[in-house]
Amino acid sequence: MGAFEYTALDSAGKETKGLLEGDTAKSVRQTLRDKKLMPLKITEVAQKEAQRSKGPIGVRRGISAMDLALVTRQLATLVKAALPLEEALLAVSQQTEKPRVKSMLLGVRARVMEGHPLAEGLRDFPNAFPEIYIATVAAGEQSGRLDVVLERLADYTDNRQQLRQRVTHAFVYPIAVAVVALLVVIGLLTYVVPKVVEVYDNIDQELPALTQMLIATSDFLRNNGLLILIVVGVVFFGLNYFFKNPGPKKALHGWLLRLPIIGKMTRGVNTANFSRTLHILAGSGVPVLEALRIAASVVSNVPMKEAVEEASNRIREGAPIGHSLAASKLFPPMTIHLISSGEASGELDTMLERAAVYQEREMDSVIATMMALMEPLLILTMGGIVLVIVLALLLPIVNLNDLVQ
C-alpha cells in the first residue's frame, strides 16, 4: 500500500486535488471512479519526492525545522500513549494543515503498514528527514525506546532552530540598517545633491575641494548607475561561484575562524551543533564512529568538519574522542575538557549536552556584545557620511559670505 496524490474532475467539470491510500495507481483510479471523479493524474508521494530531490538545479526543498519538531513531538506523544505506529502516523497527518507534510506522513505510514521499520519509511523522504533523524529513529526502534528517542529529536530540532534564529537575527539587523543607510546616501547623491548644486552654477568662484568631490561622485553615480549594478552583480555571483570550489571555500572558512568576533561565533555555532548532534546520537545508542560521521555533516565550517573526520580516523585506531578532537586546535578547550571528562567518567552523553548548552550560552553573550557594538557604530557611520554631504553643500555658501564681508 502507498500514498498517492491525485488530480481529478468532478461531475461539474471542476478540478479537484487530494490524497488517497492504495495498493497501486490503478486501484486509486478505480476508487476515484467509484466516487464519480474522473482521474487526470496519479502520482505516488515517494516517487514525487524522489524526482524533486533530483531536480535540474539541485534544489532540495525540505520542510521547516518548526514543522519537523512539531510533527516529531506529536508522534512521540502518541507512541508514548501506546498507540500503534501506523495509527499515530495517520493521526499526525490529519492534524497538520500543510499538504506536503501530510502526504509525506501518509507515505511513511504506507511503508510501515507494508511491514517496514519507521526509519525505512523515513528514508524515502531524505529532503524532509535528515540523516541524523533517520539514524536516531533506527537506533530507537532497535532499542525499543522509540518514544524517548522521538522526544529527544523534537528537543534537538527546537534547539538547533533557536540557535539558527539567534545567529540569523544578529546579522539581519546590521545588514538591514546598512542597506537602508546606503540607499539613503545614494538617494541624496543622485537626487538631492544635483538640485542643490544648480545654485552654485552662477557663482563666479572656485568651489571647495570637498564640494567638487561630492559633485563628481554624484555625477558618476547618475551616469554609471546601471553599470555599477551590473558590475556588483557579476562580482557577487562570481565570488559565490568561486567560493563553492573546495579549495577557495576551505581558505575562506579558515580565514573566518581567525577573525576576532566572527571567528568566535563560527567556532561556537559549529561546536554547539556538533556537540548536540553527537549527544543525541550517542544517547540513542548509535555506534560512536557512525555518530561522528553524521555529526560531521552538521558542521558547516570546512576546516572544523575535516578535523572531525580526522578525529574519527584516530578514534578508529583506539584514541580517545577528546584527545582526537584536541589535535586540530579548532574546538574550544572547554568542549574538549567536557568530552574527555565524560569519557573518563562514563557519562559522555551528559557531558556532550553540557558542552552544547555552554556553547549556546556563550553564543548569546557574543551576539549581545556584537549588537551592542554594531548599533552605535552604524549610527555614527551614517551620521558621519550625512555630515560630510551637508558640509560639502554648505561650504560654498560660507565662503561666499566671507567674500562679501
Side-chain angles (χ1 to χ4, degrees):
M1 180 174 285
F4 294 83
E5 293 183 358
Y6 68 83
T7 304
L9 295 176
D10 59 16
S11 57
K14 184 179 178 181
E15 188 177 283
T16 179
K17 296 181 179 181
L19 275 168
L20 277 177
E21 290 182 290
D23 295 326
T24 62
K26 184 177 180 181
S27 66
V28 172
R29 287 192 183 92
Q30 186 58 48
T31 303
L32 291 172
R33 292 190 186 99
D34 293 341
K35 293 181 178 181
K36 297 182 179 180
L37 294 173
M38 177 64 69
L40 297 178
K41 185 179 180 182
I42 307 292
T43 307
E44 189 175 6
V45 172
Q47 181 183 355
K48 184 177 180 180
E49 287 297 321
Q51 291 173 350
R52 179 175 285 155
S53 65
K54 298 176 182 177
I57 55 176
V59 177
R60 295 172 59 89
R61 186 168 66 91
I63 63 176
S64 69
M66 188 178 298
D67 288 335
L68 184 59
L70 179 60
V71 165
T72 306
R73 202 170 294 283
Q74 290 173 342
L75 190 59
T77 302
L78 294 174
V79 171
K80 195 171 184 178
L83 200 69
L85 187 55
E86 61 271 14
E87 292 185 24
L89 287 166
L90 179 61
V92 176
S93 70
Q94 293 172 342
Q95 181 73 20
T96 182
E97 298 178 354
K98 298 190 176 180
R100 183 161 178 255
V101 177
K102 181 176 182 178
S103 65
M104 285 189 294
L105 288 172
L106 289 177
V108 174
R109 178 176 180 266
R111 295 283 283 171
V112 171
M113 291 181 69
E114 291 173 358
H116 296 280
L118 176 59
E120 194 67 28
L122 298 174
R123 197 167 278 112
D124 290 340
F125 306 95
N127 291 350
F129 304 102
E131 189 176 8
I132 175 180
Y133 197 100
I134 297 169
T136 307
V137 167
E141 288 183 296
Q142 291 173 7
S143 64
R145 298 188 304 160
L146 183 59
D147 56 337
V148 177
V149 165
L150 288 172
E151 285 285 356
R152 284 188 174 189
L153 277 172
D155 293 336
Y156 168 80
T157 309
D158 281 336
N159 288 327
R160 280 203 66 185
Q161 177 66 8
Q162 290 171 9
L163 179 61
R164 187 182 296 113
Q165 286 180 342
R166 290 197 294 270
V167 174
T168 301
H169 291 165
F171 286 99
V172 165
Y173 176 78
I175 290 174
V177 173
V179 169
V180 171
L182 182 63
L183 292 176
V184 169
V185 171
I186 292 175
L188 288 173
L189 291 174
T190 54
Y191 294 101
V192 178
V193 171
K195 299 294 183 182
V196 176
V197 297
E198 288 177 0
V199 179
Y200 303 143
D201 291 342
N202 299 323
I203 298 179
D204 190 19
Q205 69 173 39
E206 185 178 359
L207 295 174
L210 186 60
T211 306
Q212 293 181 19
M213 291 173 58
L214 181 66
I215 294 173
T217 303
S218 176
D219 292 340
F220 179 77
L221 287 175
R222 287 190 294 118
N223 297 331
N224 303 284
L226 182 60
L227 178 62
I228 293 172
L229 285 176
I230 293 174
V231 170
V232 170
V234 169
V235 170
F236 175 79
F237 287 107
L239 289 175
N240 187 46
Y241 177 79
F242 176 72
F243 284 116
K244 283 184 178 179
N245 297 319
K249 186 177 181 180
K250 181 179 178 180
L252 173 65
H253 286 190
W255 176 72
L256 289 175
L257 287 174
R258 293 190 291 272
L259 293 178
I261 297 179
I262 301 298
K264 192 169 185 179
M265 285 188 65
T266 302
R267 196 186 310 272
V269 169
N270 282 280
T271 301
N273 286 336
F274 169 77
S275 301
R276 193 165 288 283
T277 302
L278 192 58
H279 152 67
I280 189 172
L281 289 168
S284 301
V286 178
V288 173
L289 290 175
E290 178 69 8
L292 282 168
R293 183 187 67 80
I294 297 173
S297 66
V298 305
V299 179
S300 59
N301 185 269
V302 175
M304 295 185 71
K305 183 175 184 177
E306 291 181 352
V308 175
E309 293 170 350
E310 292 173 4
S312 298
N313 295 330
R314 295 190 183 93
I315 294 165
R316 187 177 288 108
E317 296 171 357
I321 299 175
H323 178 74
S324 302
L325 290 173
S328 65
K329 298 182 179 180
L330 294 177
F331 289 87
M334 179 63 74
T335 299
I336 300 298
H337 288 311
L338 287 172
I339 291 175
S340 299
S341 174
E343 286 183 287
S345 62
E347 297 181 354
L348 180 60
D349 179 25
T350 303
M351 291 303 176
L352 283 168
E353 184 178 21
R354 288 186 183 179
V357 171
Y358 172 80
Q359 287 301 321
E360 288 166 0
R361 288 177 179 173
E362 188 173 12
M363 283 304 95
D364 289 339
S365 176
V366 171
I367 289 170
T369 302
M370 187 179 74
M371 293 296 291
L373 292 173
M374 289 295 292
E375 289 180 18
L377 184 62
L378 286 171
I379 293 172
L380 287 173
T381 302
M382 180 62 182
I385 294 173
V386 173
L387 177 61
V388 170
I389 294 174
V390 172
L391 284 175
L393 293 176
L394 293 179
L395 276 176
I397 299 175
V398 174
N399 291 346
L400 183 62
N401 291 335
D402 291 343
L403 289 175
V404 170
Q405 292 176 0

